[in-house]
């Protein structure tokens, strides 16, 4: 992606933009799930991953992209990718927002874009020449502006096509989940202590897998004796992390209902 990509503004009162904001928030969990698995890949599959959110300062609202995205079940955090016009900050500054302030997300793989709800609203209103210039400025293939790609197909840069704002997901599980569960079970058999290891934030593997919405690996960890009541440094249990993104199947497993 080019560093001189343009910043395009849309009016918050615009019904099309409001639908895009809502769709981005509704599907953010799929973005996070893909990003969570990307962090485990030896060979990376994503070219970039960004979240756009609303920031306000003195009554002015500005929607800006964040890179280096993280999510802890409470806040989305990252580094400002844009140079703010109204907000008292600068490009590259760290920032965090509540998930309710998300206005878009997107990631790229093999030159194709997934997500980008607000971008597609704007592209749909452009003429063919303007749309081509826009895409060339970004250096990306945004595809058909009437459709938003949400899911990558396993082993490829493709995606399961989705109607705008309505992803066709038959299951919550990521394609990598089942295979990872088998490997994780083998690792825990060799070193059972891994189930209780905490990182510098107080997170165990169970916290990570719960937030990623992985039923298969959560089951493996519980069978190995993982503590479902363990609390992170910011006070969240695995079930609370799963619930923060609406992973109902994971919540049911952690609560012993499935």
């Amino acid at each position: 992606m080019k560093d001189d990509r343009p910043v395009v503004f849309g009016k918050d009162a615009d019904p099309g933009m409001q639908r895009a904001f809502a769709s981005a928030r509704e599907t953010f969990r799929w973005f996070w799930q893909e990003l969570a698995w990307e962090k485990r890949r030896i060979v990376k599959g994503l070219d970039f991953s960004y979240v756009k959110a609303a920031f306000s300062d003195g009554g002015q609202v500005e929607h800006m992209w964040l890179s280096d995205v993280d999510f802890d079940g409470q806040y989305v955090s990252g580094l400002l990718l844009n140079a703010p016009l109204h907000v008292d900050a600068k490009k590259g500054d760290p920032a965090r927002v509540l998930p309710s302030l998300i206005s878009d997300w997107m990631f790229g793989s093999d030159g194709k874009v997934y997500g980008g709800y607000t971008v597609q609203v704007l592209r749909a209103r452009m003429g063919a020449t303007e749309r081509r210039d826009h895409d060339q400025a970004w250096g990306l293939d945004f595809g058909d502006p009437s459709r938003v790609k949400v899911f990558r197909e396993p082993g490829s840069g493709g995606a399961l096509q989705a109607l705008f704002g309505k992803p066709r997901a038959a299951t919550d599980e990521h394609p990598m989940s089942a295979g990872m569960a088998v490997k994780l079970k083998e690792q825990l058999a060799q070193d059972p202590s891994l189930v209780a290891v905490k990182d510098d934030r107080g997170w165990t593997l169970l916290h990570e897998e719960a937030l990623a919405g992985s039923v298969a690996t959560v089951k493996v960890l519980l069978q190995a004796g993982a503590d479902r009541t363990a609390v992170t440094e910011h006070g969240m249990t695995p079930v609370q992390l799963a619930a923060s993104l609406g992973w109902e199947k994971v919540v049911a497993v952690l609560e012993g209902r499935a």
Side-chain angles (χ1 to χ4, degrees), residues 42-58:
I42 297 175
V43 179
K44 300 303 182 182
L46 303 186
D47 302 324
F48 64 87
S49 53
Y50 302 144
V51 166
K52 186 161 70 171
F55 296 85
S56 62
D57 190 358

Side-chain angles (χ1 to χ4, degrees), residues 102-251:
I102 290 172
S103 53
D104 206 348
W105 60 262
M106 66 179 180
F107 62 80
S109 180
D110 293 333
K112 294 183 174 62
V113 175
Y114 303 84
Y117 291 89
T118 59
V119 178
Q120 296 295 35
V121 168
L122 295 170
R123 290 181 71 248
R125 297 170 181 175
M126 297 175 183
T129 300
E130 185 182 6
R131 189 180 305 134
R132 184 181 64 249
D133 291 344
H134 169 276
D135 294 359
Q136 288 178 349
W138 281 77
L140 294 169
D141 177 8
F142 286 90
D144 182 348
S146 68
R147 302 178 72 86
V148 174
K149 297 187 290 290
V150 177
F151 306 100
R152 293 178 70 242
E153 290 178 350
S156 77
L160 300 178
Q161 293 292 330
L163 292 175
F164 188 82
K166 298 184 181 298
R168 295 183 293 153
T171 175
D172 284 350
E173 287 289 89
H174 191 278
M176 293 175 62
S177 183
M180 180 60 72
V182 174
K183 294 180 181 178
L184 180 59
K185 190 171 184 178
E186 295 172 351
Q187 291 175 336
L188 291 171
Q190 295 176 1
D191 185 359
S193 68
L194 290 175
V195 79
V197 172
K198 293 186 177 182
D199 64 16
D200 57 2
R201 303 171 301 159
W203 289 54
T204 64
L205 284 173
L206 188 59
H207 290 109
E208 298 281 1
E209 298 304 304
L211 188 59
S214 178
V215 173
T217 51
V218 164
K219 286 182 176 179
V220 167
L221 289 166
L222 290 175
Q223 290 166 1
D227 182 3
R228 69 186 72 204
T229 66
V231 179
T232 65
E233 287 190 352
H234 72 310
M236 296 193 76
T237 63
V239 71
Q240 289 173 325
L241 289 167
S244 73
L245 287 179
W247 300 123
E248 296 180 1
K249 294 178 183 178
V250 176
V251 170

Side-chain angles (χ1 to χ4, degrees), residues 1-7 50 65 81-82 91 106 137-138:
M1 176 179 288
K2 297 179 180 179
D3 290 332
D4 58 348
R5 54 197 165 277
V7 179
Y50 302 144
W65 291 100
L81 197 59
N82 305 122
K91 181 178 179 180
M106 66 179 180
W138 281 77

Side-chain angles (χ1 to χ4, degrees), residues 82-103:
N82 305 122
L85 297 179
H86 306 295
V87 176
D88 184 17
K90 63 181 183 296
K91 181 178 179 180
D93 278 356
R96 70 173 189 170
V97 295
L98 292 169
S100 59
L101 295 175
I102 290 172
S103 53

